Amino acid sequence: MTVRKNQANLTPDEKRRLVAAFVELKSSGRYDAFVRTHNAFIMGDTDTGERTGHRSPSFLPWHRRFLIEFEQALQSVDPSVALPYWDWTSDRSARSSLWAPDFLGGTGRSLDARVTDGPFAAATGNWTISVRVDARTYLRRSLGATGELPSRAEVDSVLAMDTYDMPPWNSASDGFRNHLEGWRGVNLHNRVHVWVGGQMATGVSPNDPVFWLHHAYVDKLWAQWQRRHPASGYLPLSGTRDVIDLHETMKPWNDVRPADLLDHTAYYTFDTD
Amino acid sequence: MPALTRRRALTAGAAVAATVGLHTRAVAAPHAASTSAHEQEHAHGHDLPEAFDEVFRGRRIQGRPTGGHHHGTGYAVFVDGAELHVMRNADGSWISVVGHYAPVPSPRDAARAAVEELQGASLVPFD
């Protein structure tokens, strides 16, 4: 059974294996397919039209399925690896071990935000940005250039919300999903993308491996919310135009419904609750 | 989206043939003739912003209503003639594909933010 651990607690060997699996997926071309899929949904999901991956109730189950698929790809390279999560409420600075040269590498240089150390720096030759919105082919970051990561208190204020999601089921919604996603309120998930900067702030955000660690933590927060609100469930239940109801299948897979993804323990567990 | 289809029908030929690089006059967003509940639900009480055309930090940025369902927005933005994918949020704020997670008040702001982010790099086609 896959156990997803806090990235701060990984052993050097676990980091090494995870990085090697990332690099292998990248060199085989499988990695970039995930980036392409994500950007297609980023550009296609709209507040007034069909919306599946983002700005909609299915933001959470869609990314849960997306991460499961990616984790299975990693495990096809090395069965021992699992996706770690980045708790950005506790590892809040560019000095975190997450950003050390033996893991994800650090922030970008001031000249052009180019990441110059770690296994994903352009100079390694292992991490060319191919699925891109501009001409630059090197991984970029500007860690912390835009204020602060969310605090534990801000996370708790969102976890306290009793209703999963509300009409109009988009970026204007009140409720847990949209406050976690960040289009409204204290802004959790969106703000972390902006804090990292570089490709993470764009539609091709999965170009930065931290995308998966960030979303693994967003996913864990969904699980925490479920435990705090056992009487609350996924909404909407049925008949909602442009929006994925509980028992409706989600693109691009077309064989999986939010209802199939509510219980993460069917796929993986976490090191702590 | 029937509302936009109606709008497109009403404005066929208006502002759809604008060529990249051609200076276009500011065109106010067309008002749809009917406002069904569905349309009101999706109109958010905002008209599309007017066109703009300026040089910002050495890059030419342009934006204009397209009079149609253009990538879900009815508005197109260009940086040095290359299209920047933009999107309007339900609250009337805007994002672009290079500043996807940080809404700004207008498409001009989205174009300026993109210029800052690009640091001189050119956009690549997204279709």
Side-chain angles (χ1 to χ4, degrees), chain A residues 117-189:
Chain A
D117 68 347
F120 306 103
T124 63
N126 291 331
W127 206 261
T128 299
I129 306 298
S130 307
V131 182
R132 55 188 191 261
V133 293
D134 64 68
R136 293 168 291 182
T137 59
Y138 47 91
L139 181 65
R140 291 177 293 110
R141 292 182 189 132
S142 304
L143 301 181
T146 60
E148 301 234 310
L149 289 165
S151 68
R152 187 70 229 176
E154 286 170 325
V155 166
D156 286 338
S157 73
V158 172
L159 289 177
M161 295 177 178
D162 191 53
T163 306
Y164 177 78
D165 206 346
M166 301 185 200
W169 316 109
N170 66 13
S171 75
S173 293
D174 199 354
F176 168 70
R177 186 275 311 168
N178 196 37
H179 279 80
L180 174 56
E181 190 169 357
W183 299 112
R184 180 164 175 162
V186 295
N187 183 358
L188 303 181
H189 152 268

